[in-house]
Amino acid sequence: MKDADSEVEKMPAVVYRIQEMMSHYNLNTNSMAKELGYTATSKLYGIMGGSAPSFGTLTDILDKWPEVSSDWLVLGRGPMLRSAGGAATPAAPAPKAPTALSRSVVNNGGVLVVTVDKDGEDNVEMVPVAAQAGYATQHNEAVFVQDLPRYRLPGFERGKFRAFEVAGDSMEPTLNHRDIVVCSLVDNWRLLVPDDMYVVVTDESVMLKRIRVRIEDRNGEVILHSDNPHRRPYPLDCADITELWRVRGYISTYLPSTPDVTVERLWEVIEALGFDRAEVRRHLDENAPNSTPIS
């Protein structure tokens, strides 16, 4: 995974000024592209990912928002806005890049927008069920990500983590509806750990599934598995995946009651049926799901 701070240092300063301007006008990449009359958002996505804007793009922005100071946008001099008479109007100073409210890092060929605290440390953004439909289409929009609840969680301080609220029963009995999974970003899909749980983000949905085989080809398919035996596995085109997050922990209000008593009672029944406990354990170990990649 690339170091986020190094990405921040390499990003042109004009990109931060465009982000500040977008925040001032309450714009995201899609809405700004529409305002500028662009039929595609790829140009602005490239800028948000750290590419310096072309002269034509800067001219388009200044034509659309003439109150924005060209000295500020291009050179970083003076305030952002001009007054009605052409003089500069004081505006809030732009934050320094390392301590910006949001920043973009490279994610497996895409863009990941993250938020940071006042010390420049990454937050853990929480994506509740109600926000997941929007997250599927706006996960790389700075304005959208900034509006998500943000936390600092013990044990999740080093690295990029994001939390997702569980919806539905597809991962029961492992996880329950309204549990919260804390995930780390998978920026190299070849390092996917087989048989682990992942939050799979596409343009249409946010899904919590188990992936049993590494993704070797973005043009291939991946099979998504549920822990609920009543839910069948189904294939997904890898090209449809926009983000992949590995589950590293979870928060739950569900507390199982006396699980040891239940397990011990099960062993009593097994022995009462005449089976040897050690033999049953050996059989379970030998028939456990294979976690190695399938060639």
Side-chain angles (χ1 to χ4, degrees):
M1 182 174 179
K2 294 186 179 181
D3 182 79
D5 289 337
S6 65
E7 296 292 340
V8 171
E9 292 172 0
K10 296 176 183 178
M11 190 174 291
V14 65
V15 174
Y16 293 100
R17 292 194 289 274
I18 293 176
Q19 289 179 344
E20 182 186 356
M21 181 189 137
M22 291 170 69
S23 179
H24 174 78
Y25 288 105
N26 196 27
L27 297 168
N28 56 37
T29 306
N30 288 326
S31 59
M32 187 175 191
K34 290 179 181 179
E35 291 287 340
L36 292 172
Y38 296 165
T39 57
T41 58
S42 55
K43 181 185 297 186
L44 293 181
Y45 277 130
I47 294 172
M48 293 300 101
S51 299
S54 66
F55 176 78
T57 301
L58 293 174
T59 302
D60 290 342
I61 292 173
L62 293 172
D63 283 343
K64 180 63 182 179
W65 294 279
E67 66 275 16
V68 173
S69 166
S70 58
D71 285 346
W72 172 84
L73 181 63
V74 178
L75 303 174
R77 296 175 182 171
M80 179 174 65
L81 301 178
R82 300 178 182 275
S83 66
T89 301
K96 295 182 179 180
T99 57
L101 179 60
S102 65
R103 63 188 181 199
S104 302
V105 297
V106 174
N107 168 31
N108 200 38
V111 174
L112 175 72
V113 176
V114 303
T115 64
V116 295
D117 62 16
K118 60 182 179 61
D119 298 319
E121 299 294 332
D122 286 347
N123 294 310
V124 177
E125 299 89 9
M126 156 71 172
V127 187
V129 171
Q132 288 179 11
Y135 185 87
T137 57
Q138 302 179 67
H139 55 85
N140 52 6
E141 305 288 356
V143 173
F144 178 86
V145 175
Q146 288 174 11
D147 287 339
L148 294 173
R150 301 183 294 273
Y151 303 94
R152 300 289 295 168
L153 300 178
F156 297 94
E157 297 91 353
R158 301 180 65 85
K160 179 56 212 163
F161 299 97
R162 189 156 288 172
F164 297 84
E165 188 176 22
V166 178
D169 62 355
S170 67
M171 297 309 291
E172 291 183 357
T174 311
L175 294 169
N176 298 280
H177 181 62
R178 305 308 289 258
D179 285 351
I180 297 171
V181 292
V182 184
C183 312
S184 61
L185 177 68
V186 182
D187 59 350
N188 185 346
W189 295 354
R190 293 180 183 273
L191 301 181
L192 179 150
V193 179
D195 217 38
D196 272 11
M197 280 189 289
Y198 292 85
V199 171
V200 182
V201 182
T202 71
D203 286 337
E204 297 180 349
S205 62
V206 177
M207 299 171 286
L208 176 62
K209 296 294 178 182
R210 197 176 294 277
I211 299 178
R212 302 196 183 280
V213 181
R214 286 192 179 94
I215 298 175
E216 300 290 347
D217 184 0
R218 285 188 63 91
N219 296 320
E221 285 186 342
V222 60
I223 304 299
L224 304 181
H225 298 264
S226 300
D227 283 4
N228 187 332
H230 300 292
R231 300 295 187 91
R232 293 183 178 181
Y234 62 90
L236 176 71
D237 289 337
C238 297
D240 291 339
I241 300 175
T242 55
E243 282 186 358
L244 194 62
W245 298 83
R246 180 187 174 196
V247 176
R248 308 304 294 269
Y250 72 100
I251 302 170
S252 178
T253 57
Y254 173 77
L255 298 176
S257 59
T258 58
D260 291 339
V261 174
T262 303
V263 172
E264 188 58 36
R265 178 57 183 158
L266 178 60
W267 283 117
E268 290 176 1
V269 172
I270 290 174
E271 291 177 343
L273 293 173
F275 295 100
D276 179 71
R277 180 180 295 206
E279 182 66 17
V280 173
R281 286 187 181 277
R282 184 188 65 77
H283 180 76
L284 291 174
D285 290 340
E286 290 178 353
N287 291 276
N290 186 4
S291 62
T292 58
I294 300 175
S295 58

